[in-house]
Amino acid sequence: RGLGDVYKRQYQNTSGKRQSAAERCLSVVIDRPGLTAGEIGDDTGLGHIPAQRRLSDLKNAGKVVMGDRKQYKGSNQSTWWPVG
């Protein structure tokens, strides 16, 4: 099973676009743990705010956790880490 199967079950009532964005964010967090939402937004092409929203969804789903804060583009932001 792929990541898509997991999110199809967890986000049954959300749009495919939102699901895809969450998958992209989770992929970046898994591949490069410790990035901020701004960095993840840059990497995924989503931008900071949409990435932050999807990371919040992933946090609520138990897939990611927030870590220490660090500076990114003049802002103090939380880092994001995969669970497990």
Side-chain angles (χ1 to χ4, degrees), residues 1 7 10-11 13 19 25-26 36 38 43 46 48 53 63 74 78 82-84:
R1 281 189 233 194
Y7 281 95
Q10 289 187 354
Y11 293 109
N13 297 322
Q19 178 181 335
C25 288
L26 182 58
T36 65
D43 282 4
L46 294 171
H48 173 244
R53 290 183 180 135
K63 299 294 179 187
S78 295
V83 171

Side-chain angles (χ1 to χ4, degrees), residues 20-30 40-41 44 46 50-52 54-55 58 64:
S20 175
E23 289 174 1
R24 287 166 36 203
C25 288
L26 182 58
S27 178
V28 171
V29 172
I30 290 169
I40 294 165
T44 60
L46 294 171
Q52 181 66 45
R54 299 301 68 85
L55 289 163
L58 292 166
V64 299

Side-chain angles (χ1 to χ4, degrees), residues 1 3-4 10 17-19 37 66 69 75 78 80:
R1 281 189 233 194
L3 215 47
Q10 289 187 354
K17 185 176 181 180
R18 183 176 188 181
Q19 178 181 335
M66 294 169 64
R69 298 175 77 75
S75 175
S78 295
W80 292 90

